[in-house]
Amino acid sequence: MKKLALHWKIIIGMLLGVIWALLSSSMGWSAFTINWIDPFGTIFINLLKLIAVPLVLFSIIGGVANIGDPSTLGRMGGKTLGIYLLTTVMAISLGLLLVNTFQPGKLIDEQSRIDNRISYEIWANSEGYQIKDGVNYLQDPKFFQRAQEISDLSKSELREAAVSDKLESVKKQKETTPLQPLVDIVPSNFFHSLSNNGLMLQIIFFAVFFGVCLLFVPADKAKPVLNLVDGINEVFLKMVDIVMQAAPFFVFALLAGVVSKMAGDDIGKVVEIFKGLGWYSLTVLIGLLLMIFVVYPIILKVFVKKIPYKGFFKAMSPAQTLAFSTSSSAATLPVTMECVEQNLGVNKKISSFVLPIGATVNMDGTSMYQAIAVIFLAQMHMIDLTLGQQVTVVLTATLASIGSAAVPSAGLVMLIIVLDSVGLNPAWIAIIFPVDRILDMFRTVVNVTGDATVCSIIADGENMLDYEDAKNPTETFDLDS
């Protein structure tokens, strides 16, 4: 087992968690699973939440500040960031279009979704979150009995929770102005934002603002700060690494607990959960493949006419293959740079600037997956997010992508941020965990392909692209390294 790669250990942990959940449901052991196994899954979620906020904060500051001297790199840096953000918004918008069209979360049977909805409302009330769509099943007497079966609350406590939520909704509605979402992004007290759930946009705003200001501080003053930020960021990345080493055990507990909570002692509900996951995976996969084979080639054709469709994929195939096998944009970066320089003819001055930024801020595949995952999980729990709330998803996923570490499964940490931003339960990441690894491999291919596309556009705009049809693209990379 020691020689087994971590992702295989995680997959084994997921499979054992599912097997245990099936066994637990069929044998009537759900109470034991929830009381004695599920808490370790909660610890895993808490550890990820502990790391998520500072990781995003310091990653974004470092990513923005590492653009370089604004006097020499401002124009190219602005163009690079602008195109990266544009492709990210396009990816998220495509994801929202697909998930709202196919609605994979609504393909689960209605009773399971009602149970999910009741669990969500109980969680929201206990955690102080507002019910997102204004509908409250706990107010309906016909759901009281089922709500009591799902939770330990009495009928009076359930009724009181439902009423208090409504009163809170009315109070917040009265205080809202048309520009309130914009006001909410700018914090009045940064430390208050750090210590409160649902204020991640304020933290991201502060991080971007801080990083931009570092660009305008004299280099001798900014360098120690940037070194400190980079050093702290490395510590948090190491924390992610350590937590992920224990992930196989945590994933087993997480899956066993979540599935047992959702299914109870009814094994048929376990089947429904994984049927929904199949439709979710298909929706994500369609979106990712459209980005790789349709969206990026169209963008490239519009801005860089000299690189043909087949020539681009022929040139980038070694990097795409490595990205698929490692699920890491950072690990693939040296190969991506060599493919772009040798096979696409991009000048090294451009590739050495644009691609490292891309590995940090350009996470189109991850952002699309986050948008689809949030809406899918909302659909699963019978939550109808408004257009405004979905725009919040787009904004948060776009900005969170800047701080998404270029390592395997970092998107799960960022998904916690996006779920928090729209007031949904971060523990729901356990529902999509079983299929995350295979989708992560495709997401990384999207990220690397997007990096190469933007790099080619910037190089062509700066007259630093010398493309010749690559007859023998670089293929001398060790995919096991």
Side-chain angles (χ1 to χ4, degrees):
M1 284 289 287
K2 286 185 178 180
K3 293 183 179 180
L4 210 58
L6 178 61
H7 65 270
W8 287 115
K9 293 179 183 178
I10 292 174
I11 289 171
I12 290 170
M14 289 189 292
L15 290 174
L16 290 176
V18 172
I19 291 169
W20 178 266
L22 290 168
L23 183 65
S24 177
S25 292
S26 61
M27 301 293 288
W29 298 345
S30 290
F32 172 82
T33 302
I34 292 168
N35 290 331
W36 295 97
I37 295 178
D38 179 61
F40 292 100
T42 304
I43 290 171
F44 183 50
I45 297 295
N46 288 345
L47 283 171
L48 291 176
K49 290 173 72 176
L50 171 71
I51 298 167
V53 172
L55 181 62
V56 167
L57 174 64
F58 291 106
S59 292
I60 292 177
I61 291 174
V64 173
N66 278 318
I67 289 174
D69 182 5
S71 63
T72 57
L73 298 176
R75 179 176 53 83
M76 196 164 70
K79 191 190 299 184
T80 301
L81 285 175
I83 298 175
Y84 276 143
L85 289 175
L86 179 62
T87 60
T88 301
V89 171
M90 290 173 65
I92 297 169
S93 302
L94 177 60
L96 289 177
L97 176 65
L98 290 171
V99 75
N100 282 294
T101 301
F102 296 132
Q103 299 186 325
K106 294 185 178 180
L107 298 175
I108 302 167
D109 77 279
E110 188 176 1
Q111 186 55 52
S112 294
R113 293 180 67 222
I114 289 173
D115 288 352
N116 293 344
R117 173 69 193 211
I118 293 170
S119 297
Y120 157 69
E121 291 189 10
I122 292 171
W123 169 84
N125 288 315
S126 66
E127 295 292 324
Y129 282 91
Q130 183 183 357
I131 300 298
K132 301 312 295 180
D133 54 10
V135 180
N136 203 320
Y137 278 51
L138 296 182
Q139 284 190 317
D140 194 331
K142 71 180 179 182
F143 295 117
F144 275 166
Q145 184 177 351
R146 185 57 185 157
Q148 284 180 271
E149 291 172 4
I150 292 174
S151 71
D152 296 327
L153 297 177
S154 66
K155 185 176 289 188
S156 61
E157 287 173 323
L158 287 170
R159 191 176 284 117
E160 183 181 342
V163 172
S164 65
D165 176 77
K166 279 294 179 185
L167 292 174
E168 186 67 21
S169 299
V170 171
K171 182 181 176 183
K172 287 188 177 182
Q173 189 66 35
K174 285 182 178 179
E175 295 173 353
T176 298
T177 62
L179 291 178
Q180 191 62 41
L182 184 62
V183 173
D184 290 340
I185 292 175
V186 183
S188 59
N189 185 331
F190 174 65
F191 296 100
H192 173 74
S193 305
L194 281 175
S195 60
N196 282 270
N197 290 324
L199 297 179
M200 198 59 216
L201 275 177
Q202 295 186 358
I203 296 169
I204 292 173
F205 172 85
F206 175 84
V208 173
F209 188 35
F210 192 97
V212 169
C213 289
L214 267 179
L215 291 174
F216 293 93
V217 173
D220 59 324
K221 304 288 186 184
K223 190 173 175 56
V225 178
L226 193 52
N227 287 340
L228 177 65
V229 168
D230 289 340
I232 293 174
N233 195 43
E234 285 298 319
V235 173
F236 282 108
L237 285 174
K238 178 55 67 177
M239 289 173 73
V240 172
D241 184 50
I242 291 171
V243 170
M244 291 307 291
Q245 291 301 317
F249 168 72
F250 283 134
V251 166
F252 164 79
L254 195 60
L255 274 176
V258 167
V259 173
S260 292
K261 282 179 180 176
M262 295 181 70
D265 292 329
D266 183 359
I267 197 170
K269 286 189 179 177
V270 180
V271 177
E272 283 296 324
I273 291 168
F274 285 97
K275 185 176 79 175
L277 273 181
W279 288 110
Y280 157 75
S281 301
L282 184 61
T283 305
V284 175
L285 201 54
I286 289 172
L288 296 176
L289 293 176
L290 283 173
M291 286 299 296
I292 295 169
F293 295 108
V294 178
V295 176
Y296 289 136
I298 289 175
I299 295 173
L300 199 62
K301 195 67 179 174
V302 170
F303 292 100
V304 188
K305 295 180 172 58
K306 64 179 77 173
I307 300 178
Y309 185 90
K310 289 183 180 179
F312 177 75
F313 288 103
K314 184 179 178 182
M316 292 307 302
S317 58
Q320 290 172 323
T321 305
L322 186 63
F324 187 81
S325 62
T326 63
S327 296
S328 171
S329 300
T332 313
L333 183 58
V335 181
T336 307
M337 293 181 75
E338 193 160 346
C339 287
V340 165
E341 291 166 14
Q342 294 185 8
N343 301 338
L344 291 179
V346 174
N347 189 293
K348 191 171 183 177
K349 290 181 181 178
I350 300 293
S351 63
S352 62
F353 172 73
V354 175
L355 291 178
I357 293 177
T360 304
V361 307
N362 184 45
M363 298 288 170
D364 293 352
T366 303
S367 301
M368 173 186 280
Y369 136 82
Q370 288 169 349
I372 293 175
V374 169
I375 307 304
F376 165 73
L377 291 169
Q379 290 170 352
M380 251 186 107
H381 292 78
M382 299 186 79
I383 303 165
D384 292 322
L385 295 178
T386 64
L387 180 61
Q389 288 161 346
Q390 292 197 27
V391 168
T392 301
V393 172
V394 173
L395 184 60
T396 311
T398 301
L399 295 176
S401 71
I402 297 172
S404 184
V407 294
S409 298
L412 278 176
V413 179
M414 295 304 108
L415 182 57
I416 290 175
I417 302 298
V418 182
L419 284 169
D420 251 349
S421 74
V422 286
L424 302 179
N425 192 347
W428 291 349
I429 66 166
I431 298 170
I432 59 173
F433 214 116
V435 294
D436 180 72
R437 183 63 191 187
I438 185 65
L439 293 178
D440 194 21
M441 297 163 82
F442 284 98
R443 294 198 303 263
T444 309
V445 176
V446 171
N447 295 340
V448 168
T449 307
D451 291 348
T453 301
V454 174
C455 190
S456 301
I457 293 171
I458 299 296
D460 189 57
E462 299 290 326
N463 294 317
M464 293 187 183
L465 179 67
D466 183 22
Y467 174 78
E468 291 183 11
D469 190 14
K471 295 180 180 178
N472 297 300
T474 310
E475 294 176 343
T476 57
F477 303 111
D478 182 5
L479 298 185
D480 295 322
S481 59

